[in-house]
Amino acid sequence: MQLDTAVKNLTNHGFSVRVFKTQQEAVSAISQELSGRTIGFGGSVTLQELGLFEALSANNTVYWHWKQSPAEALEKAVTAQIYMTSANAISETGEIINIDGTGNRVAAMLYGHEALYIIAGTNKLAPDLPSAMERARNIAAPLNARRLSCKTPCAMSEPMRCHDCGSPDRICNGFVTLARPCGGIGKTHVILIEENLGY
Ligand code: SF4
């Protein structure tokens, strides 16, 4: 994967991009720049692996339905000053893809916050938009379906791939691609970490 190409194209598209060698460096930098804020989290194995909820809760009010009462946390995350999530895939051509079941995460990527942070390991990079969508649909979504023990064909059969199912457990209902940052230049931070994180 060409990290330099991804950084160049994401930057040209108006995203504020930073690269960190390690997750510790990334968590330290994010923790230092955010204080006294309300922060909403989307569902994300990456955020969980980084321990960001714990790190940011020291100096901010963080809402995350994975750690708190889901109904209350989801509602408060929507109106938080800052929103954080990861990505299911990022193209080296400069687009960011997320797939969502309930829609809270992809809705929050689009509107309603002073700043959006998208934090991802470089394992999420794909060469172009079609391959990024391929990654999101055939790697990220099936692995998430398995994590959630969904009774979907991607979770229950090999080889692992999307069957574009009609299952009641389907988790792929909303597909959002950020081609450019919504809400203005500089408001969407893309934090890339040179490690494998999440799916
Ligand atoms: S659409 Fe269905 S089969 Fe495809 S990844 Fe999503 S849950 Fe799995």
Side-chain angles (χ1 to χ4, degrees):
M1 296 299 163
Q2 298 297 319
L3 178 58
D4 290 349
T5 303
V7 171
K8 182 184 76 155
N9 287 323
L10 286 162
T11 303
N12 285 343
H13 285 180
F15 297 104
S16 298
V17 187
R18 282 174 282 172
V19 178
F20 295 92
K21 285 272 178 213
T22 68
Q23 55 182 284
Q24 290 82 6
E25 291 172 52
V27 170
S28 174
I30 296 165
S31 300
Q32 283 175 30
E33 72 193 33
L34 294 175
S35 176
R37 317 304 295 279
T38 56
I39 303 173
F41 273 29
S44 165
V45 172
T46 295
L47 297 187
Q48 186 172 53
E49 289 175 351
L50 291 172
L52 260 180
F53 177 84
E54 292 77 9
L56 290 172
S57 291
N59 294 310
N60 300 274
T61 302
V62 186
Y63 302 112
W64 197 14
H65 59 292
W66 284 17
K67 299 279 188 182
Q68 299 154 331
S69 159
E72 189 176 344
L74 282 167
E75 188 175 321
K76 289 188 170 169
V78 167
T79 54
Q81 293 168 302
I82 310 288
Y83 197 79
M84 290 194 179
T85 183
S86 187
N88 291 139
I90 299 175
S91 69
E92 291 169 21
T93 47
E95 294 91 9
I96 300 162
I97 296 174
N98 265 326
I99 297 175
D100 206 353
T102 59
N104 62 297
R105 183 171 65 135
V106 295
M109 287 173 64
L110 297 174
Y111 185 74
H113 308 280
E114 292 173 15
L116 169 67
Y117 282 68
I118 294 172
I119 304 163
T122 46
N123 55 309
K124 301 290 182 71
L125 292 176
D128 52 24
L129 186 55
S131 59
M133 185 60 79
E134 172 84 8
R135 182 193 194 284
R137 296 201 69 177
N138 289 300
I139 297 176
L143 285 172
N144 274 311
R146 290 177 183 208
R147 173 178 61 82
L148 295 165
S149 301
C150 296
K151 293 183 173 49
T152 55
C154 62
M156 297 193 298
S157 64
E158 297 290 347
M160 184 182 73
R161 66 179 177 83
C162 176
H163 295 253
D164 196 17
C165 71
S167 165
D169 277 358
R170 176 176 169 127
I171 61 168
C172 309
N173 298 327
F175 296 68
V176 163
T177 300
L178 287 185
R180 301 287 190 280
C182 293
I185 303 294
K187 286 188 165 186
T188 299
H189 302 264
V190 178
I191 309 288
L192 294 171
I193 303 170
E194 294 184 69
E195 295 184 14
N196 288 338
L197 290 162
Y199 310 142

